[in-house]
Amino acid sequence: RKQFGAPLPGWYGSGANPDLKPFTATQFDLAGEWYYAPESVVGVDVFQKTVKNFVVPVTVNNMTVDVNGTPTPFMQYSTNANGRSGTSKGIELYTQHTFDMGFGYIANYTLNKTNETPVSLGDTQVGKSELIGSAKYAANISLFYEKNGLLLRATSNWTGRTMQGLSSGLPIYTEPYNQIDLNGDYEFNKHFMVTASVINLTRSTPHQYLGGDTTARLYQLEYAGRQYYVGLTYKFGNGG
């Protein structure tokens, strides 16, 4: 597909795939944790998951689809297909610590390796895909203060390049992404609490690209902006 601003001529459509095979998953986890102080822990988790017939969103060119009993040709048609067998394996490291004065942190890092497997729509192979939503790495870190009814938290989330589906046989990826959020609440008493949040403080924008080169062909751009939330909570009764 050479141009993204002007669509190809002809019919475009989307629909379900009644021939999808049910997917099955085999997985295991081995985890260990050390609680070295109150409200403090370090841990590790080793995992592997194998999914057969996992579901992949696909867009296919020049496809004929039965519409109310009539074979109808489409220039492009979007549906779901089956990936043969995808494996996700890796390790997660995490820690949490709270200091006596109320400050603390929570952090985790996941390193994930997935394979690429053929994707079939009926008897036709339409490309190759990793497990949908899989990323090579993901990390989160939160810094917080919690004392005397006040909770303040700042969180930064990182996600590596993420598989989203196939279009015309080419993979669709979301580029590596980072977002910072702020949250806070204050309990005036056992009945009344105020909460506030700032989502996407950094005004980060997810970019999706087509093909193996994550910067060559822009596929989709989404921007939700910076979002603010304020809430009031009142609990009736004695709280017992």
Side-chain angles (χ1 to χ4, degrees):
R1 186 158 110 172
K2 296 183 179 180
Q3 50 185 338
F4 293 84
L8 298 172
W11 287 100
Y12 288 72
S14 62
N17 180 4
D19 298 321
L20 273 181
K21 300 175 182 178
F23 67 85
T24 58
T26 303
Q27 64 185 58
F28 74 82
D29 291 85
L30 179 62
E33 296 180 332
W34 176 37
Y35 295 89
Y36 60 90
E39 299 183 48
S40 301
V41 62
V42 291
V44 59
D45 181 18
V46 179
F47 61 88
Q48 177 172 313
K49 176 186 291 186
T50 300
V51 185
K52 294 183 178 180
N53 299 319
F54 65 94
V55 178
V56 181
V58 299
T59 299
V60 182
N61 294 338
N62 302 316
M63 181 176 179
T64 299
V65 180
D66 187 291
V67 180
N68 296 325
T70 303
T72 304
F74 287 85
M75 291 297 299
Q76 284 192 338
Y77 190 80
S78 299
T79 186
N80 292 311
N82 284 122
R84 185 174 297 170
S85 180
T87 299
S88 174
K89 56 184 177 181
I91 185 170
E92 179 185 12
L93 306 172
Y94 53 94
T95 182
Q96 175 178 333
H97 185 78
T98 303
F99 298 95
D100 293 337
M101 68 285 292
F103 290 98
Y105 61 81
I106 302 171
N108 66 74
Y109 178 82
T110 301
L111 184 63
N112 176 45
K113 182 178 181 181
T114 61
N115 66 313
E116 194 176 60
T117 187
V119 177
S120 298
L121 188 59
D123 297 328
T124 303
Q125 182 174 322
V126 293
K128 293 184 177 181
S129 174
E130 302 169 4
L131 284 170
I132 299 302
S134 62
K136 185 176 181 180
Y137 68 86
N140 303 274
I141 183 167
S142 294
L143 304 177
F144 64 87
Y145 174 81
E146 186 175 11
K147 202 165 189 179
N148 300 324
L150 175 64
L151 171 62
L152 301 174
R153 187 188 302 267
T155 304
S156 185
N157 304 288
W158 293 269
T159 306
R161 192 180 74 167
T162 306
M163 183 71 185
Q164 301 293 344
L166 295 171
S167 180
S168 304
L170 297 175
I172 302 170
Y173 292 105
T174 298
E175 71 170 357
Y177 183 76
N178 171 242
Q179 177 174 311
I180 295 178
D181 302 323
L182 303 178
N183 298 277
D185 61 62
Y186 182 70
E187 293 184 2
F188 289 91
N189 51 51
K190 63 182 180 180
H191 297 288
F192 185 56
M193 181 173 67
V194 177
T195 62
S197 301
V198 181
I199 307 301
N200 196 10
L201 175 70
T202 47
R203 292 192 174 101
S204 301
T205 305
H207 292 72
Q208 290 187 2
Y209 291 97
L210 184 65
D213 186 339
T214 59
T215 61
R217 285 169 284 191
L218 180 64
Y219 183 81
Q220 184 170 286
L221 179 66
E222 296 182 0
Y223 179 58
R226 181 186 293 167
Q227 302 172 51
Y228 302 88
Y229 297 91
V230 176
L232 303 175
T233 301
Y234 186 86
K235 298 180 181 179
F236 295 93
N238 56 18

